[in-house]
Amino acid sequence: MPPGETPLRVLVIDDDARFRERLVRAFVRHGFEAQGAASAAEAPEAARAFRPSHAVVDLRLPDGSGLDLVRELKALDANTIIVVLTGYGSIATAVEAVRRGATHYLAKPADVDDILLAFAGATLPSGQEAALTHEVPSLARAEWEHIQRVLADCGGNISQAARLLRIQRRSLQRKLAKYPVPQ
């Protein structure tokens, strides 16, 4: 690294230890200094000590929201480039992530190459522009995303998800057999 140039540092915030450590190792191989944080509580402290130039933030953490962390990381350093990762993607959360300061929003599973492309400038429109230009998802799409979230929260247990959704198990199975409705 040339003298006077700040090091590229990435903070990976994800509660999945295997995924987090795999990303940290991959970023190190790509020339970054990398560090991980396992929770929303641990992340701000790690960011203050590590002073990352880049951050990868999981949207759903057991002790808080990745969206709140985006705002906190931007408050610590407005120049931090932040990519939000989620297994529960929706237009609404993508728009909110950008409004709060994220540079990009990626659906899991994302690998280090996807994240590096996002860091390199494949950005979403600015928050206000995205809010004005995004299309409202169809009711069928919103229903499908909700079902997927509930099913994930139930660990894939269809019977439990059907009880929480207050629908018959067979009805849920029929809905799951359909492909996701395009946005």
Side-chain angles (χ1 to χ4, degrees), residues 48-165:
R48 279 190 281 283
F50 187 58
R51 301 175 43 88
S53 58
H54 298 73
V56 177
V57 179
D58 187 14
L59 181 67
R60 293 182 74 183
L61 297 164
D63 64 339
S65 167
L67 292 176
D68 293 335
L69 278 178
V70 169
R71 187 173 283 151
E72 286 185 56
L73 292 172
K74 282 296 195 177
L76 290 171
D77 183 354
N79 295 320
T80 304
I81 298 169
I82 302 173
V83 171
V84 174
L85 294 181
T86 183
Y88 308 92
S90 75
I91 293 169
T93 54
V95 169
E96 188 59 27
V98 172
R99 279 188 184 146
R100 292 184 185 206
T103 305
H104 203 76
Y105 183 93
L106 296 172
K108 285 182 177 179
D111 62 15
V112 75
D113 294 326
D114 297 328
I115 297 167
L116 288 171
L117 280 174
F119 283 163
T123 61
L124 293 171
S126 69
Q128 189 170 17
E129 185 181 327
L132 295 174
T133 61
H134 89 278
E135 293 179 25
V136 176
S138 69
L139 183 57
R141 176 68 185 186
E143 177 190 46
W144 184 84
E145 287 177 2
H146 180 66
I147 288 170
Q148 293 301 315
R149 263 186 228 111
V150 171
L151 190 59
D153 290 345
C154 294
N157 184 323
I158 292 175
S159 296
Q160 183 181 4
R163 278 192 299 277
L164 290 173
L165 292 166

